[in-house]
Amino acid sequence: MKGLIVTGIHTEVGKTCVAATLAAGLGWHYWKPIQTGSPADTDTVRQWGIPTYPERYRLSLPAAPLVAAQVENRFIDWTYLAAPPPAEPLIIEGAGGLYVPITETHFMIDLFAAWELPVVLVVRPYLGAMNHTWLSLIALRERRMHLVGIILNGLVGDPSEAYFEKAFEPIGKLSWYRDDFEPRRAFIESGLAESLRAKGIYMHR
């Protein structure tokens, strides 16, 4: 199985823009297995001309999948959700952070561990992000998951950004809030193209 998982230290850190950037730059398909709220990230990514696969679950309430499913009186079947992804190579975007509950007994990190794919961690330098970043890294290490690297997203010139660059040595830096955001250009400008090549991750041909 070949692919990359895109997760974040929190919700609203720009995972979708990072996932779209990786999918566009590498020429891989995009997939978000479980979507809550709208607009759906799959629809957003498709507007950039990136091939996508449909979600296994799409829920209306913008909440943790467990809660969103309960509100709709729906049941999330873990065996179905955790089955192998639909294709490869693939960029897989998670919902929220690592410990977002999917079922009463499973979290997002359990889904990623089931697939045994490498992970990129998206970090936006907001107040509290240092703590959230370290906790996310500890969680990945405890589960012995392969971290490809950290991607800094939404940089605005805040003084704390220097700490993130020094402490975590990001493999890429993006400004996802830009009105002229374009995934293929961002792949080059962010430094991701060069960083991923150095790690042996190449464009699919």
Side-chain angles (χ1 to χ4, degrees), residues 13 21 26 34 54 57 65 67 77 99 112 115 126 150 158 197:
V13 295
T21 296
L26 292 170
I34 187 162
Y57 291 94
V67 175
D77 184 334
Y99 275 92
F112 300 156
W115 291 328
Y126 54 81
I150 284 174
D158 187 275
R197 273 198 304 271

Side-chain angles (χ1 to χ4, degrees), residues 111-148:
L111 187 61
F112 300 156
W115 291 328
E116 299 182 336
L117 291 172
V119 175
V120 295
L121 181 65
V122 182
V123 174
R124 181 170 63 84
Y126 54 81
L127 184 63
M130 295 177 187
N131 180 52
H132 293 162
T133 302
W134 284 115
L135 289 173
S136 296
L137 291 174
I138 290 169
L140 291 169
R141 288 168 185 164
E142 286 180 345
R143 299 294 291 269
R144 298 181 180 179
M145 298 178 72
H146 176 203
L147 177 68
V148 173

Side-chain angles (χ1 to χ4, degrees), residues 125-188:
Y126 54 81
L127 184 63
M130 295 177 187
N131 180 52
H132 293 162
T133 302
W134 284 115
L135 289 173
S136 296
L137 291 174
I138 290 169
L140 291 169
R141 288 168 185 164
E142 286 180 345
R143 299 294 291 269
R144 298 181 180 179
M145 298 178 72
H146 176 203
L147 177 68
V148 173
I150 284 174
I151 298 174
L152 283 181
N153 201 17
L155 301 179
V156 294
D158 187 275
S160 68
E161 292 171 7
Y163 173 86
F164 286 95
E165 295 199 33
K166 181 178 180 181
F168 304 119
E169 299 181 353
I171 60 172
K173 295 183 288 185
L174 287 88
S175 297
W176 64 283
Y177 55 86
R178 286 172 44 175
D179 292 336
D180 63 345
F181 177 81
E182 201 288 313
R184 292 165 182 81
R185 185 177 68 240
F187 185 70
I188 303 298

Side-chain angles (χ1 to χ4, degrees), residues 69-80:
Q70 289 173 339
V71 168
E72 295 184 22
N73 293 315
R74 293 179 63 184
F75 171 73
I76 295 178
D77 184 334
W78 175 254
T79 302
Y80 169 65

Side-chain angles (χ1 to χ4, degrees), residues 3-132:
L4 282 176
I5 290 168
V6 177
T7 189
I9 62 168
H10 200 284
T11 190
E12 298 299 326
V13 295
K15 294 189 303 296
T16 301
C17 285
V18 169
T21 296
L22 291 168
L26 292 170
W28 297 5
H29 283 59
Y30 167 93
W31 184 48
K32 185 163 187 174
I34 187 162
Q35 167 73 44
T36 64
S38 61
D41 295 325
T42 300
D43 296 339
T44 299
V45 171
R46 194 180 298 118
Q47 290 176 358
W48 282 312
I50 297 167
T52 66
Y53 286 95
E55 307 92 339
R56 286 183 174 159
Y57 291 94
R58 184 182 283 206
L59 304 163
S60 299
L61 184 70
L66 171 63
V67 175
Q70 289 173 339
V71 168
E72 295 184 22
N73 293 315
R74 293 179 63 184
F75 171 73
I76 295 178
D77 184 334
W78 175 254
T79 302
Y80 169 65
L81 182 63
E88 60 177 77
L90 201 62
I91 299 297
I92 303 173
E93 181 185 349
L98 292 168
Y99 275 92
V100 169
I102 299 174
T103 70
E104 295 284 359
T105 56
H106 296 96
F107 297 94
M108 195 61 61
I109 194 171
D110 296 315
L111 187 61
F112 300 156
W115 291 328
E116 299 182 336
L117 291 172
V119 175
V120 295
L121 181 65
V122 182
V123 174
R124 181 170 63 84
Y126 54 81
L127 184 63
M130 295 177 187
N131 180 52
H132 293 162

